[in-house]
Amino acid sequence: MVDYCPMTTLPAAAGYKAGDVLVLVGELFGRGYANGLLEEAKRLGMTVLGTTVGRRDSDGTLRPLTAEELADAEALLGSKIINIPLEAGFDMESPGGAPSVAERLKKAKPDEWESISFEPGFIEQACAAGKARFCANLQQVMAELEKQIPASASIILAHTMAGGIPRARFFMPLLNRVFKGSGDKYLPSEPFWNSAIGQLCDASFNEVTADTFKYLIDASAGLRKRAEGAGSRVACTAYGYHGTGILVNGQFQWQSYTPYLQGFAKMRLEDHAIAARKQGINATVFNCPEILTNSSALFLGVELSLYPLLIALQQVAPEQSVPLAERCKALLADGCSLDSLMAVAADYLGAPLINDALEFKAWPQHSTRDQMELMLATSAKLMEMHRDQKQLICAELSRLVFRCTGRLMVQGSWSSTEAAVWLNHDTIATLVTDQRGADLLD
């Protein structure tokens, strides 16, 4: 595990310029963290090149995007995409003709999760097949990049891959119990994680979230050598999560969503950056604050640590944060105030049941029934304080987070010396009060 290393001062201005290139390794879907990278790269005049995970036909065959799919994906990205499938993971692999993980779980019932198992060596074989496919396609992507990127260009290879829940309907009701269950529906995360099904998820998270970063670093050796030989720079970046520094009981301190089972893979991601640094490779995992994403519906409560960001901004930048605060107020239900909303969030985050249980060296922690029920009840209460539960204050704050982290990552990648850096709420507040980030509150 890396040491806790928050970014305490803003990075020096990066040397990226027009003609330099940001490569997004991982397809862009909707709005999320990667949009901040894109925004910052385009602000600097950099060229953006995207990639795709490809698509699966009805028979399970992985293929490139069709012309129509490619046009839609490039319109969303606002740039060109290298149309070679970079789907990560192994849940659709059939090693030696054996049924895939997804096929095996088609008829499985969620209440059978404790009895499900796989024959010895199967997961390892499927994983090896998925790795071989991914790495072969990644080599093709690298060959295309060498054709399209001048040696004189500095490059950011931005790893944006995450997740890894195997594709089977079996998982959703089970994971709803783990991440959203209360009362009789509560399923403790620890016994789930220690089961054969939990270990399957662990292997899948590792492959998709973490090991693809290592594959990217390894595959880009030729591209990096060519660029560096021409006097250019290459940075390998990745999005991490390892808790976040937020305001708790009036002070900035490390805090985390629980249970964050993907955390084991996020630490493995950091380990790959550590190994790369030892080889002299500029690789950094930027651990970012939580935001609302497409997956937040599953991880209910992950948004709770976003609320103190508004308080931090009001303390550090009282005048600059007024427009944001007004936008947030407009989202509240009649009779609700920002002060009352923030008080509910602060009571939860500062509660001994939540606050005292967290320990950086023991992260990620497993759930307890009391902790889950308090988290879910608080999340529901805060959502009820909004005028429309589809238009949340956390969405406004999320937009600020991904814009700020994108700028910090691009600027920090130029001269970073750390394998893992935390971009905490105080870092974001500092950025928006500086002339280098004054536009981000717009």
Side-chain angles (χ1 to χ4, degrees), residues 241-355:
Y241 174 74
H242 195 144
T244 305
I246 66 171
L247 273 174
V248 178
N249 294 326
Q251 295 183 327
F252 282 101
Q253 68 178 59
W254 179 85
Q255 195 271 347
S256 174
Y257 165 80
T258 300
Y260 191 72
L261 297 181
Q262 301 95 314
F264 298 98
K266 292 296 188 183
M267 289 193 292
R268 188 178 176 105
L269 179 71
E270 295 167 350
D271 289 342
H272 291 319
I274 293 171
R277 284 275 168 192
K278 290 179 179 178
Q279 299 175 49
I281 299 168
N282 179 12
T284 302
V285 173
F286 290 89
N287 288 319
C288 296
E290 299 90 331
I291 65 172
L292 277 176
T293 66
N294 293 337
S295 66
S296 296
L298 176 60
F299 304 108
L300 197 61
V302 72
E303 80 285 352
L304 292 174
S305 57
L306 255 173
Y307 291 103
L309 176 58
L310 184 57
I311 301 175
L313 292 168
Q314 290 174 327
Q315 289 182 357
V316 176
E319 293 184 9
Q320 298 98 317
S321 62
V322 168
L324 174 64
E326 290 300 318
R327 293 197 299 271
C328 290
K329 285 180 184 178
L331 299 174
L332 291 174
D334 294 340
C336 294
S337 68
L338 276 180
D339 286 344
S340 61
L341 183 94
M342 294 302 161
V344 172
D347 285 347
Y348 164 79
L349 293 165
L353 175 64
I354 304 303
N355 197 30

